[in-house]
Amino acid sequence: MVIDMETMKAELAAAHKTSGRAPRIHPLWLRVTHWLNAFAALIMMFSGWRIYDASPVFAGFVIPPSITLGGWLGGALQWHFAAMWLLVGNGLVYLALNLASGRFATKFFPLSPRGVLKDLVAALQGRLDHGDLRQYNAVQKLAYLVVIVDLIVLVLSGLAIWKSVQFPLLRELMGGYDNARIVHFCAMSVMAAFVVVHVAMVALVPRSLLTMLRGH
Ligand code: HEM
């Protein structure tokens, strides 16, 4: 469905008039699940770095202990296993509500390589329109879809490492136990890169942070 700019502006004005305040952009459930997800994912990342250091997958590469969470292997595992339930439970609620409400289809699609390229070029030239924060641009849609799939890969590879005997099929799908650790590390790196770019983009458009906090 293509909505032209004039229709969109008229809709926004009408919504503003009836409610007396700016129209809601992000529903409450989305804001709550987003912040719980960010909290859990960051705890998992920083504690995961400490767990990694106890037995580095890549010889000679360790993460400075000062930027890790948990203090030692045992402490980091406690953090990792505690945040894991929040990440998975909250992630399932986010996915279920997103799919059931039809929001997933309307927010992230349609999406085409041509659209991504067009918006990427516009972004790099500083001419991307941020006027209507109800709609994600194509680069944003792609980045969000990538990080959602990436988090699913992170959880599944983590499960293959944690319960490798109980989930032999999952372990083999990951290429065996040792490979599952590499998959887990690579997926973490993708998430870390996403977070850096994501936070930088939010800093460039601070109004988007307000919408993720108060909904409008
Ligand atoms: C691990 C950390 C994070 C992940 C995985 C993540 C992921 C996401 C995803 C998938 C969305 C789109 C949600 C949807 O519409 O269904 C989103 C939106 C958003 N995130 Fe995050 N996020 C993270 C951390 C943060 C942090 C730390 C901030 C604050 C600086 C932040 C600020 C926002 C804002 C403002 C939006 C809305 C953007 C807009 O409306 O244009 N996120 N995030």
Side-chain angles (χ1 to χ4, degrees), residues 23-36:
R24 199 179 54 175
I25 294 176
H26 298 304
L28 180 64
W29 65 262
L30 176 86
R31 285 176 277 143
V32 172
T33 52
H34 173 268
W35 292 119
L36 286 178

Side-chain angles (χ1 to χ4, degrees), residues 26 30 34-35 37-38 41-42 94 98 103 108 133 136 140 144 147-148 151 191 194-195 198-199 202 208-209 211-212:
H26 298 304
L30 176 86
H34 173 268
W35 292 119
N37 173 68
L42 292 176
Y94 166 79
N98 231 346
R103 185 183 175 277
F108 300 112
L133 292 181
Y136 292 142
Q140 242 178 326
Y144 294 158
V147 84
I148 290 167
L151 282 168
M191 191 196 92
F194 167 86
V195 172
H198 186 52
V199 173
V202 172
S208 66
L209 183 59
T211 67
M212 198 39 111

Side-chain angles (χ1 to χ4, degrees), residues 57-75:
V57 181
F58 304 105
F61 176 72
V62 286
I63 293 162
S66 56
I67 56 165
T68 66
L69 177 69
W72 64 298
L73 175 61

Side-chain angles (χ1 to χ4, degrees), residues 82-119:
M84 144 186 115
W85 298 106
L86 179 61
L87 185 85
V88 173
N90 180 68
L92 289 175
V93 170
Y94 166 79
L95 286 177
L97 290 176
N98 231 346
L99 290 168
S101 64
R103 185 183 175 277
F104 189 76
T106 50
K107 272 277 176 177
F108 300 112
F109 298 95
L111 181 62
S112 67
R114 187 187 289 266
V116 173
L117 200 67
K118 190 171 140 269
D119 283 355

Side-chain angles (χ1 to χ4, degrees), residues 100-192:
S101 64
R103 185 183 175 277
F104 189 76
T106 50
K107 272 277 176 177
F108 300 112
F109 298 95
L111 181 62
S112 67
R114 187 187 289 266
V116 173
L117 200 67
K118 190 171 140 269
D119 283 355
L120 188 64
V121 171
L124 293 175
Q125 293 175 339
R127 359 171 236 100
L128 204 54
D129 183 21
H130 301 293
D132 180 11
L133 292 181
R134 288 181 311 168
Q135 283 190 322
Y136 292 142
N137 63 60
V139 180
Q140 242 178 326
K141 288 180 185 175
L142 180 67
Y144 294 158
L145 286 171
V146 165
V147 84
I148 290 167
V149 173
D150 185 61
L151 282 168
I152 294 172
V153 173
L154 256 171
V155 168
L156 292 179
S157 54
L159 194 57
I161 297 166
W162 181 41
K163 296 283 177 198
S164 70
V165 175
Q166 290 85 341
F167 296 103
L169 182 63
L170 193 59
R171 184 190 65 222
E172 291 315 308
L173 276 173
M174 295 290 157
Y177 178 84
D178 290 325
N179 212 53
R181 288 192 69 199
I182 296 176
V183 172
H184 202 58
F185 188 92
C186 292
M188 176 281 295
S189 308
V190 170
M191 191 196 92

